Amino acid sequence: MTNIRTYTNEREKESEETERQERAEEQEHCPECGGRLVSDAEHAETVCADCGLVVEEDEIDRGPEWRAFDAAEKDEKSRVGAPTTNMMHDQGLSTNIGWQDKDAYGKALSSRQRQKMQRLRTWNERFRTRDSKERNLKQALGEIDRMASALGLPENVRETASVIYRRALEEDLLPGRSIEGVATASLYAAARQAGTPRSLDEISAVSRVDKMELTRTYRYVIRELGLEVQPADPESYVPRFVSDLDLSDETERMARELLDSARKEGVHSGKSPVGLAAAGVYAAALLTNEKVTQNEVSEVASISEVTIRNRYKELLEASDTAAPA
DNA sequence: ATGGTTTTTACTGCGTC
DNA sequence: GACGCGGTAAAAACCAT
């Protein structure tokens, strides 16, 4: 077994460093209990500090290859090249082939050579335009990442969002639409597909595009890519509202129950899932004697109090007919 | 563009702390 | 008297056609 010495160049190390810092600064939250996530490099896992849920396992270790005993060794033994991320682009490394059919000495090329160079130019151009798309992609992915961490969405949602974005890019859905808009729409779709939906309001709060453009591009992307996104399940909003309002697990369970029986009664159809969820949480808090005002609920759910009132009446009725006490 | 549905806005009255 | 709650009417937003 031979130890192969590898050297990373300065620039790569730098970007690797800043990237890792950025990663560390992200506030991640556990999808189950909303607790803080802690990464455990030893076991290659990311776990929730509160409930111990393993959010991600078998991670790639981006650390140095061997143990290092002093600073110089540490530099030498860093991994080969920069870690592969979806965020990389070519850093101006693309090739340019001159248009003049001259060789390095300035002499004209043979016709055979000219043809060869022409073919090379064609291909090189193809790759370069691909690169420009990559740059565009990088920007979009950065944007997705920023919004996702602002919304506390887990890694897999970002992953899905970037896949959706890539597809949109491949299908030439971009012309006429802003990168921002499509990126935001991708994230919105991804969040819903992953069962951790964020409302349009929440998304547009962290995005640079307004709600109208977002809904328009979202619809467009969904239609063109043939994505199937079911209407969001009200229950998927419950845990977040509950934790935002500091309510008990009991209340959360109750809220789910209410929403469940409401679904059986067919109250759901046509109503906004967010409103239903908010009403469910409010009603549940009432039933478990925990104090929350309609106003507070309407704040965290960004829904009007009136809607909460209307929904929670319906909810209670439905639960009465479903399970008469 | 249109009409039907849902949500929001704004306002009012009631009870409690 | 401020606050939480419930109700209503009209306006606005949304969605399918």
Side-chain angles (χ1 to χ4, degrees):
Chain A
M1 216 188 273
T2 24
N3 279 358
I4 303 169
R5 286 244 168 120
T6 52
Y7 300 88
T8 57
N9 71 40
E10 282 310 309
R11 195 195 290 162
E12 277 172 343
K13 260 191 286 191
E14 235 174 69
S15 68
E16 185 177 344
E17 201 50 43
T18 54
E19 191 184 315
R20 239 189 277 175
Q21 274 173 15
E22 276 165 22
R23 275 178 180 279
E25 274 164 24
E26 280 169 13
Q27 264 296 347
E28 299 255 20
H29 293 286
C30 171
E32 274 303 309
C33 69
R36 202 167 49 83
L37 293 187
V38 174
S39 83
D40 178 352
E42 181 101 4
H43 300 108
E45 288 173 350
T46 300
V47 298
C48 172
D50 285 352
C51 67
L53 176 77
V54 177
V55 178
E56 207 173 308
E57 50 188 347
D58 296 334
E59 290 167 349
I60 295 169
D61 181 5
R62 295 192 173 87
E65 186 110 29
W66 303 285
R67 292 176 63 192
F69 297 96
D70 59 38
E73 258 188 278
K74 194 177 165 192
D75 277 353
E76 278 179 3
K77 290 179 175 176
S78 61
R79 282 210 187 267
V80 182
T84 50
T85 335
N86 287 331
M87 305 297 167
M88 282 213 294
H89 74 117
D90 75 316
Q91 288 276 22
L93 292 174
S94 62
T95 309
N96 236 330
I97 299 179
W99 55 273
Q100 295 163 55
D101 291 314
K102 301 272 181 65
D103 64 16
Y105 304 102
K107 293 205 295 196
L109 297 172
S110 69
S111 75
R112 200 190 186 83
Q113 283 295 321
R114 276 212 302 277
Q115 278 178 26
K116 185 175 173 187
M117 292 321 275
Q118 196 53 55
R119 283 200 304 276
L120 282 173
R121 266 187 217 111
T122 308
W123 279 104
N124 189 42
E125 202 50 38
R126 282 179 194 163
F127 285 123
R128 274 214 303 157
T129 54
R130 247 191 57 142
D131 284 348
S132 90
K133 280 189 178 171
E134 288 290 319
R135 261 193 294 281
N136 162 332
L137 184 63
K138 183 201 149 100
Q139 194 202 328
L141 294 181
E143 205 49 41
I144 287 175
D145 211 48
R146 183 184 63 78
M147 293 187 289
S149 43
L151 293 167
L153 288 167
E155 192 69 33
N156 62 333
V157 174
R158 293 170 215 201
E159 215 53 56
T160 315
S162 53
V163 170
I164 294 175
Y165 187 88
R166 272 178 217 274
R167 283 193 54 200
L169 195 62
E170 275 164 28
E171 309 263 331
D172 282 331
L173 263 42
L174 263 297
R177 257 152 282 269
S178 69
I179 296 175
E180 286 270 342
V182 180
T184 314
S186 306
L187 182 64
Y188 177 61
R192 282 180 59 169
Q193 282 194 327
T196 51
R198 292 293 181 273
S199 69
L200 282 166
D201 284 305
E202 290 171 295
I203 300 256
S204 66
V206 298
S207 169
R208 280 188 250 276
V209 301
D210 58 65
K211 229 169 86 180
M212 225 188 66
E213 186 181 347
L214 170 56
T215 49
R216 225 187 21 216
T217 48
Y218 169 68
R219 247 192 277 280
Y220 180 74
V221 168
I222 292 301
R223 189 161 46 83
E224 292 301 314
L225 296 184
L227 251 42
E228 298 222 357
V229 184
Q230 289 84 349
D233 180 358
E235 284 187 43
S236 51
Y237 289 101
V238 170
R240 203 151 46 84
F241 293 165
V242 166
S243 86
D244 281 355
L245 293 165
D246 288 323
L247 296 171
S248 66
D249 294 350
E250 175 65 14
T251 307
E252 179 174 340
R253 211 179 48 74
M254 182 72 80
R256 286 182 191 283
E257 218 166 89
L258 284 168
L259 291 169
D260 205 46
S261 58
R263 180 174 35 234
K264 285 176 192 133
E265 293 294 312
V267 180
H268 280 40
S269 92
K271 309 292 166 56
S272 105
V274 201
L276 250 349
V281 171
Y282 176 71
L286 237 54
L287 294 176
T288 51
N289 283 325
E290 296 190 59
K291 85 152 197 58
V292 237
T293 68
Q294 296 178 351
N295 189 5
E296 286 168 324
V297 180
S298 78
E299 288 276 310
V300 303
S302 47
I303 211 82
S304 83
E305 300 176 39
V306 182
T307 309
I308 295 180
R309 286 203 277 277
N310 291 336
R311 283 306 92 74
Y312 108 88
K313 259 189 306 177
E314 295 169 7
L315 239 44
L316 292 181
E317 276 173 33
S319 79
D320 276 352
T321 43

